Amino acid sequence: DAVRQRIAELSDSEQRFRAIADHTYAWENWFGPDGCLRWVNPAVERLTGYTPRECLALEDFPLPLVLPDDRELVHNQHQWALAGQTGQDLEFRVQRKDGQVIWVAMSWQPIYADDGSSLGYRSSLRDITVQHFVTEELAFHASHDPLTGLYNRRAFESRLTRSLDDAARSREKVILVYIDLDQFKAVNDACGHS
């Protein structure tokens, strides 16, 4: 009876874990101390198009999904996490199964057994594609003229100062070409901006 009761308790505990873990909105992973993926929740399919089973079968997951330019960043994060470091909001790009590229932000923390031994780490990823493009657009508009798409005065002065500083350090010359279009305002006023 005691064994049956313990089995029932473990079954209830596992059902509670699955109810929470499998229905979490974020894409959740558990990597063992060897760095291999041990578990991934079903949200991975919503974000990437890959099923949990496909993810578990991929070698070096999640690197095959990460865009090549971001792989070193994610690999380094993986090593830090395995070394026991916690982190959050690491942004990188993932290519979905359908070829679409999304931006994700990842947070992670090490996990330990009751005896203090490492169980690896868990990571949580969320889709930040919309926020990323909004931020990029705001940054672009903060430094560019809305009509011409060229650097605005503040961005031009900043870029010029940086170029002059770089040239002074490297003892190189900088050339600035200034072109003044006579009656440009009159042309715009008479003919329109386009």
Side-chain angles (χ1 to χ4, degrees):
D1 284 344
V3 170
R4 275 184 256 236
Q5 182 179 352
R6 183 66 180 136
I7 290 172
E9 289 171 359
L10 288 172
S11 178
D12 288 345
S13 176
E14 182 177 350
Q15 285 178 358
R16 283 193 302 276
F17 164 77
R18 293 244 176 249
I20 293 168
D22 287 351
H23 300 288
T24 299
Y25 186 75
W27 158 15
E28 303 285 340
N29 302 295
W30 170 25
F31 293 92
D34 59 357
C36 293
L37 181 66
R38 294 278 196 274
W39 173 84
V40 60
N41 73 344
V44 72
E45 189 169 4
R46 179 179 46 77
L47 266 66
T48 69
Y50 292 92
T51 66
R53 180 169 289 195
E54 290 172 314
C55 294
L56 287 162
L58 285 173
E59 191 173 328
D60 292 331
F61 180 84
L63 290 181
L65 280 60
V66 177
L67 261 58
D69 289 348
D70 297 343
R71 284 186 185 150
E72 184 177 350
L73 176 72
V74 175
H75 173 75
N76 290 340
Q77 168 278 322
H78 188 63
Q79 297 307 311
W80 297 329
L82 290 172
Q85 295 183 14
T86 299
Q88 65 181 14
D89 296 331
L90 178 75
E91 296 182 9
F92 59 93
R93 294 163 296 169
V94 169
Q95 185 166 13
R96 291 174 39 87
K97 194 174 186 178
D98 63 10
Q100 180 185 357
V101 174
I102 62 169
W103 280 91
V104 295
M106 179 168 58
S107 299
W108 66 93
Q109 65 183 47
I111 50 179
Y112 300 97
D114 290 340
D115 65 2
S117 62
S118 174
L119 294 174
Y121 74 95
R122 64 164 288 279
S123 66
S124 180
L125 294 92
R126 57 190 167 79
D127 184 346
I128 58 160
T129 306
V130 172
Q131 298 94 312
H132 186 81
F133 287 122
V134 167
T135 302
E136 278 187 345
E137 189 173 339
L138 287 172
F140 179 84
H141 288 301
S143 62
H144 290 75
D145 178 77
L147 178 62
T148 64
L150 299 173
Y151 278 132
N152 61 21
R153 182 182 186 106
R154 192 182 89 227
F156 170 75
E157 289 173 351
S158 172
R159 184 81 180 252
L160 180 61
T161 300
R162 196 172 5 165
S163 294
L164 291 171
D165 291 345
D166 290 347
R169 275 194 297 279
S170 62
R171 297 179 190 256
E172 293 180 355
K173 294 181 180 176
V174 173
I175 297 174
L176 173 65
V177 178
Y178 176 81
I179 300 173
D180 184 18
L181 302 176
D182 291 336
Q183 302 299 319
F184 189 65
K185 181 174 178 2
V187 171
N188 271 343
D189 292 344
C191 301
H193 295 303
S194 59

